[in-house]
Amino acid sequence: MKICWYTQEQREGAQLGAVVDGRVYDVSAALQALPPARYPALHGDLLLANLDLIRVAINQLLPGAASIPAERARFLSPVANPGKIIGVPVNYADHVAEANADQATFTDRYKGEVREQGLFLKAASSLVGPSEGVALRFPQRLSHHEMELGVVIGKTAANVSVDEALDYVAGYAIALDMTVRGPEDRSLRKSVDSYAVLGPWLVTADAVGDAQKLDIRLAVNGEVRQQANTAEMIIGIAEQIAWASSYYTLYPGDIIMSGTCAGVGQVLPGDVMQCLIDGIGAMRVDVRAAQD
């Protein structure tokens, strides 16, 4: 199942959608299946914590739901309330070589392989959907695209084993881990507003199959820059989940950006990024200056 949050012209507020055969169906009424929210809120995204209930409600609504063509929908992040966004650095060998060969750009602050460098966090406030685009905050500095497979957690996970890890995945999406280059800590440079893009929808884990065998591709203004297969990861998805859960509890809606391949590069206002992951979908992300 493909689940999204979206808006459309002449309608106020976000709608819950299900994407089927190129159309987006308004299944917002499925939210009535959620338990009432309370304050203080529990950890995690309420929808993803109750994904099984939501899926049943969506299937009941689909036959009579209104729909629009997917190209008319304005896609937001499919995760509305992530607790944290976890990044996995230098997780493709070709990107390791790329970074080592250009330390003037990538800096030599972080050396060593992925296990030595450790995971990092991006601020949840940096998260946007593809239709919201990327706003460049520091035009005098390099901002680079890093396309990745986004892994969305569906159940609370703490100290899980590699063998059990994939049982905690709600689904997958396309992710962009945007970054400002410079000497500061990763988490600062990667937490700029709009520098975490997720979309265009969440594909539930059962509909993806083997997420460790997906082709990924990113083009800027039609020029292909990044191309790889998730089989090329140094640390696979299951190990990433187990590793992260050994340091902190993962909650429904937490996002793991699973690492990028070679070909990362600068984007400028007016650029258009086209992202594709087989089995997930495609999304367009426009780049603009922050004041626009």
Side-chain angles (χ1 to χ4, degrees):
M1 181 177 286
K2 296 177 180 177
I3 301 172
C4 68
W5 287 102
Y6 72 106
T7 61
Q8 56 180 308
E9 292 182 2
Q10 300 177 340
R11 290 284 297 268
E12 291 187 3
Q15 297 165 256
L16 181 67
V19 183
V20 182
D21 296 331
R23 298 189 69 85
V24 182
Y25 291 79
D26 181 4
V27 291
S28 300
L31 298 172
Q32 296 173 15
L34 293 176
R38 65 187 191 189
Y39 186 85
L42 299 174
H43 289 293
D45 182 281
L46 184 62
L47 186 151
L48 288 166
N50 295 276
L51 185 58
D52 289 344
L53 291 174
I54 288 292
R55 293 184 65 174
V56 170
I58 288 174
N59 283 325
Q60 292 172 342
L61 290 166
L62 272 175
S67 69
I68 60 172
E71 57 267 22
R72 285 176 46 196
R74 185 173 182 268
F75 289 107
L76 309 175
S77 167
V79 179
N81 294 294
K84 51 188 171 289
I85 303 170
I86 301 161
V88 184
V90 291
N91 198 30
Y92 286 75
D94 59 358
H95 181 50
V96 174
E98 175 180 58
N100 287 337
D102 186 9
Q103 291 191 3
T105 297
F106 293 93
T107 79
D108 62 356
R109 176 170 179 166
Y110 299 98
K111 292 183 177 178
E113 56 95 44
V114 56
R115 294 173 184 83
E116 293 177 282
Q117 295 196 29
L119 303 170
F120 62 90
L121 296 174
K122 292 170 71 84
S125 58
S126 68
L127 185 65
V128 295
S131 296
E132 295 170 276
V134 170
L136 302 183
R137 178 71 66 94
F138 302 102
Q140 74 281 12
R141 296 176 62 173
L142 292 175
S143 281
H144 280 189
H145 58 75
E146 298 185 8
M147 184 182 164
E148 321 195 357
L149 176 66
V151 182
V152 180
I153 300 300
K155 297 187 294 184
T156 301
N159 289 308
V160 302
S161 69
V162 172
D163 290 341
E164 300 171 326
L166 295 182
D167 295 338
Y168 293 84
V169 176
Y172 302 90
I174 302 172
L176 276 172
D177 174 20
M178 303 298 298
T179 183
V180 178
R181 297 298 176 198
E184 303 93 346
D185 184 82
R186 270 196 183 100
S187 291
L188 177 68
R189 294 183 288 105
K190 291 173 173 281
S191 289
V192 178
D193 292 350
S194 79
Y195 273 45
V197 187
L198 193 73
W201 40 68
L202 173 83
V203 183
T204 54
D206 61 297
V208 172
D210 190 349
Q212 211 66 73
K213 294 181 179 179
L214 303 177
D215 288 330
I216 67 176
R217 187 176 73 227
L218 176 141
V220 177
N221 304 328
E223 174 195 359
V224 176
R225 291 191 180 177
Q226 294 189 270
Q227 194 162 4
N229 187 283
T230 56
E232 300 167 34
M233 291 180 186
I234 295 170
I235 292 180
I237 297 163
E239 187 175 348
Q240 294 174 29
I241 294 168
W243 184 20
S245 77
S246 72
Y247 277 85
Y248 28 64
T249 300
L250 305 179
Y251 293 103
D254 283 357
I255 301 161
I256 298 177
M257 294 191 170
S258 58
T260 198
C261 61
V264 305
Q266 184 180 16
V267 290
L268 299 168
D271 284 347
V272 176
M273 295 180 284
Q274 294 279 4
C275 306
L276 172 70
I277 299 183
D278 286 348
I280 305 297
M283 69 182 190
R284 168 184 169 139
V285 182
D286 292 341
V287 182
R288 67 185 187 277
Q291 64 269 22
D292 292 348

